[in-house]
Amino acid sequence: MRSPKRTDRASDTARLLPAVASMALALVVVGASLGAIAVSSGAPLWLVTVMAALVFAGGSEFLVVGLATAGAAPLTVLLGGWLLNARHLPYGLAMGDVLDGGLGRRLLGSHLLVDEAVAFALAESEPRRRRRAYWVAGTTLYAVWAPSVLLGGLLGRGLGDPQLFGLDAALPAGLLTLVLPAVRDRPTARAVLLGCLLAVLTVPLLDEGLAVLVALLGTAAALLPVPGARRGAYVSEGEAV
């Protein structure tokens, strides 16, 4: 007879699998596109595949491939990748209670710290389900990322630019469906709207991927006081007296 704990774990995993599988399919398209673009730009396939396994950060990998194949200095390539991945610092702070356990478990969990895994975790309210969502999403997406990059590199020029087919929009659309349920209050909505506005305005002006960092400034909108909040508090205090 199965224990209740094991039954709950299986139930949580089964509930997550359809959404995780859809996100993984979108990630396969993006990874294959990265491999094809990198190889067609002159990057060695083995190097791109190893980078996919060791870095596991699609945005920075696209940036590195673009800068390196364009002849940028190695220091510029490294700084660009580090700058784009700076968003993982607040991710790590938000996932502190998820990455519990020993040092090895924390190191492995940190390697799986990507936008999609964080979005799946934050969509859950209970700590147990949040941890389950993070690990199921993170391990599944990692398992398909490097093979999809290798596959795209083998296909080479035959795959073409994903933007010609609109396939590059599949992953952002999936992330949007995960994030929207978390927008439940005005401060969060202000942060999301300002971040989107900053991203749209800066995409034509900055290198690929850097607009995401600028969009993080939208979180400052969440710190602004809500009009009437203090007055409501005073009224509540007066009624209590």
Side-chain angles (χ1 to χ4, degrees):
M1 182 176 180
R2 302 177 64 180
S3 64
K5 184 177 181 180
R6 183 175 299 180
T7 301
D8 291 342
R9 182 182 304 173
S11 177
D12 289 342
T13 303
R15 177 178 55 85
L16 289 167
L17 280 180
V20 173
S22 299
M23 186 65 68
L25 181 60
L27 199 66
V28 167
V29 174
V30 177
S33 303
L34 171 61
I37 293 172
V39 170
S40 63
S41 299
L45 177 57
W46 70 266
L47 182 59
V48 179
T49 305
V50 171
M51 180 176 67
L54 297 180
V55 178
F56 189 41
S60 62
E61 291 177 47
F62 271 103
L63 178 65
V64 166
V65 168
L67 291 176
T69 55
L75 181 59
T76 302
V77 176
L78 289 175
L79 290 177
W82 286 338
L83 181 61
L84 184 56
N85 281 338
R87 69 187 189 280
H88 288 81
L89 177 59
Y91 284 175
L93 295 175
M95 294 290 102
D97 61 333
V98 173
L99 302 180
D100 56 353
L103 178 60
R105 183 181 175 87
R106 286 181 176 272
L107 289 175
L108 176 59
S110 299
H111 191 56
L112 303 178
L113 191 69
V114 292
D115 302 336
E116 298 83 3
V118 172
F120 272 102
L122 294 180
E124 302 289 343
S125 57
E126 298 180 7
R128 176 181 58 82
R129 290 188 173 182
R130 181 173 294 185
R131 285 191 292 270
R132 176 63 51 184
Y134 180 84
W135 285 101
V136 170
T139 54
T140 302
L141 297 177
Y142 180 74
V144 303
W145 177 243
S148 67
V149 173
L150 176 62
L151 176 62
L154 293 175
L155 294 176
R157 295 180 183 274
L159 184 63
D161 189 343
Q163 295 182 0
L164 297 178
F165 307 98
L167 298 178
D168 57 318
L171 198 59
L175 279 174
L176 184 62
T177 61
L178 293 172
V179 171
L180 282 180
V183 184
R184 301 188 181 96
D185 51 53
R186 289 184 179 180
T188 304
R190 286 202 304 265
V192 170
L193 291 176
L194 180 57
C196 291
L197 179 61
L198 291 174
V200 170
L201 292 177
T202 54
V203 161
L205 306 176
L206 302 176
D207 289 334
E208 183 177 356
L210 295 183
V212 177
L213 293 178
V214 177
L216 290 176
L217 296 175
T219 56
L223 303 177
L224 298 176
V226 179
R230 293 300 303 167
R231 184 179 65 180
Y234 292 140
V235 171
S236 298
E237 292 172 1
E239 291 178 349
V241 173

